[in-house]
Amino acid sequence: MNFALVDLVVVTAAVVCAGVGFTVWRFRARTPHDDATTTLLMRFFNGKACAICKQPIPPVHRMGSKPGLLNPKTHETHSWEEIPDVDLSKALETELPVCFACEVAESFRQRFPNLVVDGDRSLQDAQPQDRLRTSS
């Protein structure tokens, strides 16, 4: 048997295992909540509608896009990762659920207000040719 081929297979397997291990470790490092907290958050958002767009929040899974919270007094949004465990119960009592898309849009608006331009809402229902005439 060719020992170079065996060595190559062993080294390749070790590199693949190290890569998988590193990926899992990095994923766990990005998840600030333990399993119990993640389960609690998943239950909290289940069946709720977004406070901004009023659409139902899709079911939350452990991997994938996560909803956030909106502080009704300050109108600031907080992503899933920004919700500290120590303030979780207070946050869930006082803040409103927002879908992932609205959380991303609002956080962008908060961080870069000079880059956001709100369109005229009255033009949203207009026909395309009316929009062109109005903007000229």
Side-chain angles (χ1 to χ4, degrees):
M1 180 178 249
N2 189 349
F3 288 110
L5 183 59
V6 172
D7 288 343
L8 179 64
V9 170
V10 170
V11 168
T12 303
V15 169
V16 168
C17 288
V20 169
F22 179 76
T23 303
V24 169
W25 173 74
R26 290 296 296 159
F27 175 75
R28 296 296 280 169
R30 269 192 50 81
T31 306
H33 306 297
D34 60 16
D35 288 340
T37 304
T38 299
T39 301
L40 177 68
L41 283 167
M42 290 169 66
R43 286 186 188 145
F44 172 78
F45 287 104
N46 187 28
K48 298 253 180 14
C50 176
I52 297 173
C53 71
K54 309 299 185 215
Q55 296 296 314
I57 295 176
V60 180
H61 301 285
R62 292 195 183 275
M63 299 200 332
S65 302
K66 304 282 192 292
L69 294 174
L70 169 73
N71 184 321
K73 293 178 183 174
T74 64
H75 299 286
E76 291 181 357
T77 58
H78 305 283
S79 70
W80 179 281
E81 291 84 17
E82 295 172 329
I83 305 169
D85 288 345
V86 294
D87 298 335
L88 184 63
S89 61
K90 181 181 177 195
L92 296 181
E93 289 175 13
T94 60
E95 298 191 10
L96 305 172
V98 291
C99 67
F100 174 74
C102 288
E103 193 282 317
V104 169
E106 288 303 310
S107 65
F108 184 86
R109 180 186 304 274
Q110 291 167 17
R111 291 183 181 122
F112 308 104
N114 57 327
L115 298 178
V116 177
V117 177
D118 287 325
D120 183 3
R121 298 276 184 209
S122 64
L123 293 178
Q124 285 183 344
D125 296 326
Q127 297 297 322
Q129 62 272 16
D130 296 336
R131 291 182 191 162
L132 292 174
R133 267 190 240 127
T134 319
S135 61
S136 325

